[in-house]
Amino acid sequence: MAKAKLEYIWLDGSEPTQGLRSKTKIVKDFSGKLEDCDMWSFDGSSTNQAPGGSSDCLLKPVFICPDPGRKNAYLVMTEVLNADGTPHVTNGRATIDDADDDFWFGFEQEYFLWDPETELPLGFPANGYPRPQGPYYCSVGAKNAYGRNIVEEHLDLCLDAGLNVEGINAEVAAGQWEFQIFAKGAAEAGDQIWVARYLMERTAEAYGVAVNWHCKPLKGDWNGSGMHANFSNTALRTANSKAFFEKVCNAFAPAEIIKAHIAVYGADNHLRLTGLHETQSIDKFSFGVSDRGASIRIPVYTVDHDWSGYLEDRRPNSAADPYKVAARIIKTVKPVS
Ligand code: ADP
Ligand code: MN
Ligand code: MN
Ligand code: MN
């Protein structure tokens, strides 16, 4: 049997935004199953995760899928453990309290395809600006949509890998795109977002294009990038009660809870949550039906289904860690449901 390539992926200790790292393990006669993926280790002193004197950190496999971009290959998402087997302080996945996978998450991941030489989005001239935003959202044609070849290749890779991508669209700014991923289970939703981000980085890399995950890479009248978190648990999905949805939304309202959420909703979010460009201000909290200027939007789907369904927290940004976002939402929602 051919030797298999297993790409072990993990999150490093970069601050304030953790980055993707990965390395390849060659395994003989590999079954393709998660339980047959061995633990591995890496040099944590090179990733801001350990001191040089005792540098080993452990990689615990948590999610596996085929890697359609390589021969005989798999992508293995891992979480980082200390040498003694306890979760590393950078391990957001370990903080998720959803053992029974009651929480479903759909993340809308926005990002910019970015020219590493001009430090501008694809579609931006090296000097000056393209036409103002308006025509780019869900656009077609060489004057408005930039980088579609990369986006399409990424979508096919994700689908062939078995990731549950639910859609893609060109976004409001030039060179800005979105993909949506949904999973039943908070940890798995995070796993799939991280693997999809990895595949996006690798796909764009082959074209000499970078991916800019920052929430506000362009100053001025250009949309920032979010990662709206759509979520539900059994209680929300079967509520049949407007009052219950309002109770859950109100659990997000106290000042210290707003602070705790913003703390894990991605770096520099004050640059994006300004009250403009379909956002609520970072220091305010509001919710409303179909309200894209609210912190939490109650989708019309939920109202149309007699107040059973899901909610959308619009505040998490494109560079947020979906594990930490999900963990925090669950912490707020569980006690009231
Ligand atoms: P919009 O751009 O209008 O905010 P999208 O269609 O881009 O909406 O994203 C909506 C997301 O909501 C999708 O990722 C979808 O999977 C997710 N979603 C739908 N139903 C639920 C649910 N019951 N629980 C959690 N997420 C859900
Ligand atoms: Mn969307
Ligand atoms: Mn969007
Ligand atoms: Mn949305």
Side-chain angles (χ1 to χ4, degrees), residues 108 110 169 171 178 228:
E108 301 168 55
E110 296 177 341
N169 59 273
E171 266 302 336
E178 169 178 315
H228 298 165

Side-chain angles (χ1 to χ4, degrees), residues 11-20 49 90-92 194 319 321 324:
L11 304 182
D12 69 15
S14 299
E15 290 173 356
T17 302
Q18 290 177 256
L20 283 163
Q49 283 166 307
T90 59
N91 181 346
W194 277 115
D321 175 356
K324 290 183 187 158

Side-chain angles (χ1 to χ4, degrees), residues 107-130:
F107 290 108
E108 301 168 55
Q109 174 74 62
E110 296 177 341
Y111 60 95
F112 279 86
L113 292 177
W114 201 257
D115 183 329
E117 270 162 34
T118 60
E119 286 287 355
L120 289 168
L122 296 194
F124 271 55
N127 295 300
Y129 283 92

